[in-house]
């Protein structure tokens, strides 16, 4: 399994939480040295100048740059003249299966945005929804935060994103590749635990921490994805497709299919047929 596929698996299970968001001009005494936050930050610079240190790297961000400052890393910041930053900023967490995303993946700290008005619009929406009294306000603010993180990644070369714990990633890559290659088989937790050289109970915890869902749920989802492909691209009967994917019980297959897609296999095939004719 390649780098991009594994990266997609992580990001598709990402859960974000917004803590604070604002838009303001920093004071000339804006300064804090060598602190380690337990939250991550985004800065989007609109005007002004300043200095940041993230880990061992020093930066002098300029307007239209989006800065990611991950939690758990020592940081410093300071104004450097009488024209301090005017910036949007937010504090947030990003987790996969309860694990801080930035303990799994290493991202560049700064990217230059080609469409700054788009990022300003997203930040403005986060701010509006975060202040809203509507019952959906916080949910929409989190949705916009996810969009902001997506745009950050879109503005990067994927080769700039690396895995921090390479041995774990290699093991996980082997497991996910095995699932993809054997999706028609009855894959058990014991099979996967053996590949990973782990006790099954420990393996289940490991898999859920890394991927965000238990292994059986992940395998079922992959089988349903394959069923959708076969329903769309082949004339095979639903019974034949279910059996091909290791479902001996047609009712169970149909129930799982509807749980994942909202449609029965027959409804899904009809809808796809209508869309392609």
């Amino acid at each position: 399994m390649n780098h991009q596929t594994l990266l997609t698996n992580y990001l598709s299970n990402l859960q974000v939480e917004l803590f604070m968001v604002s838009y303001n001009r920093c004071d000339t005494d804006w300064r804090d040295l060598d602190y380690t936050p337990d939250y991550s930050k985004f800065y989007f610079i609109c005007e002004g100048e300043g200095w940041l240190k993230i880990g061992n790297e020093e930066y002098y961000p300029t307007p239209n740059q989006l800065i990611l400052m991950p939690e758990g890393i020592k940081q410093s910041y300071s104004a450097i003249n009488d024209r301090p930053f005017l910036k949007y900023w937010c504090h947030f967490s990003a987790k996969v299966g309860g694990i801080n995303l930035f303990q799994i993946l290493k991202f560049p700290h700064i990217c230059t945005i080609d469409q700054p008005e788009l990022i300003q619009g997203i930040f403005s929406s986060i701010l509006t929804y975060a202040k809203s009294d509507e019952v959906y306000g916080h949910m929409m603010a989190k949705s916009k935060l996810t969009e902001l993180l997506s745009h950050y990644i879109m503005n990067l070369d994927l080769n700039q994103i690396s895995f921090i714990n390479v041995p774990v990633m290699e093991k996980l890559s082997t497991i996910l590749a095995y699932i993809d290659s054997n999706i028609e088989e009855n894959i058990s937790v014991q099979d996967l635990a053996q590949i990973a050289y782990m006790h099954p109970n420990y393996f289940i915890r490991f898999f859920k921490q890394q991927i965000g869902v238990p292994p059986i749920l992940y395998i079922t989802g992959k089988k349903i994805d394959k069923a959708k492909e076969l329903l769309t691209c082949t004339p095979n009967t639903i019974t034949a497709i279910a059996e091909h994917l290791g479902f001996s019980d047609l009712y169970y297959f149909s129930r799982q299919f509807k749980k994942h897609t909202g449609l029965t296999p027959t409804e899904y095939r009809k809808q796809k047929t209508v869309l392609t004719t």
Side-chain angles (χ1 to χ4, degrees):
M1 180 170 290
N2 62 31
H3 173 272
Q4 186 168 337
T5 304
L6 196 54
L7 188 58
T8 300
N9 270 305
Y10 273 106
L11 296 179
S12 65
N13 287 290
L14 186 64
Q15 294 181 315
V16 301
E17 189 63 55
L18 177 68
F19 301 137
M20 192 177 294
V21 59
S22 191
Y23 173 66
N24 64 278
R25 172 80 68 182
C26 298
D27 295 327
T28 52
D29 61 354
W30 180 69
R31 176 185 175 87
D32 201 351
L33 302 179
D34 294 334
Y35 72 104
T36 303
D38 56 2
Y39 51 84
S40 297
K41 295 186 288 184
F42 266 131
Y43 290 169
F44 183 66
I45 309 301
C46 299
E47 296 176 8
E49 298 176 343
W51 166 81
L52 302 175
K53 187 176 182 182
I54 309 171
N56 295 320
E57 301 295 325
E58 296 190 53
Y59 303 99
Y60 293 86
T62 57
N64 301 335
Q65 287 189 325
L66 185 59
I67 298 95
L68 171 65
M69 305 177 75
E71 67 177 271
I73 296 177
K74 187 181 287 188
Q75 301 169 16
S76 302
Y77 59 78
S78 175
I80 56 176
N81 55 33
D82 59 0
R83 291 188 63 255
F85 289 138
L86 173 66
K87 61 182 174 66
Y88 284 99
W89 58 270
C90 66
H91 297 174
F92 68 98
S93 70
K95 295 184 177 180
V96 177
I99 299 176
N100 169 16
L101 176 68
F102 307 114
Q103 290 178 341
I104 301 170
L105 296 168
K106 183 178 181 180
F107 291 83
H109 295 137
I110 292 186
C111 72
T112 301
I113 301 299
D114 294 332
Q115 297 177 284
E117 66 284 351
L118 180 63
I119 301 302
Q120 287 184 26
I122 294 172
F123 256 116
S124 178
S125 293
I126 296 173
L127 197 51
T128 299
Y129 286 121
K131 290 181 176 180
S132 171
D133 292 329
E134 300 291 350
V135 294
Y136 55 78
H138 188 68
M139 185 168 64
M140 284 298 296
K142 289 206 303 182
S143 172
K144 285 293 180 179
L145 174 58
T146 301
E147 185 178 349
L148 179 64
L149 189 52
S150 299
H151 278 283
Y152 187 83
I153 294 168
M154 286 164 61
N155 278 272
L156 300 175
D157 180 339
L158 290 185
N159 291 324
Q160 295 177 281
I161 305 172
S162 58
F163 290 100
I164 292 172
N165 191 333
V166 174
V168 168
M169 293 310 107
E170 288 177 344
K171 180 174 289 190
L172 197 59
S173 181
T174 300
I175 293 163
L176 298 183
Y178 177 86
I179 293 171
D180 284 344
S181 301
N182 296 274
I183 200 61
E184 292 95 359
E185 307 297 329
N186 286 316
I187 305 169
S188 70
V189 169
Q190 285 73 19
D191 294 333
L192 300 179
Q194 192 170 10
I195 293 168
Y197 301 103
M198 293 179 183
H199 185 279
N201 291 343
Y202 180 76
F203 172 77
I204 292 170
R205 291 196 298 272
F206 165 79
F207 192 96
K208 186 174 181 180
Q209 279 185 335
Q210 297 297 327
I211 298 297
V213 295
I216 294 302
L217 190 58
Y218 178 86
I219 292 166
T220 302
K222 284 290 185 178
K223 284 181 179 288
I224 298 304
D225 287 344
K226 186 65 176 179
K228 287 158 62 178
E229 178 188 324
L230 295 172
L231 285 165
T232 305
C233 303
T234 75
N236 298 350
T237 67
I238 293 170
T239 300
I241 290 171
E243 290 177 351
H244 177 69
L245 291 170
F247 291 95
S248 56
D249 185 334
L250 182 60
Y251 172 74
Y252 177 73
F253 167 71
S254 296
R255 194 176 64 190
Q256 288 297 318
F257 192 94
K258 187 168 185 178
K259 182 179 178 181
H260 281 77
T261 67
L263 301 170
T264 66
T266 301
E267 290 168 342
Y268 183 86
R269 176 170 265 171
K270 284 181 179 177
Q271 185 185 76
K272 286 295 181 178
T273 301
V274 170
L275 291 174
T276 55
T277 56

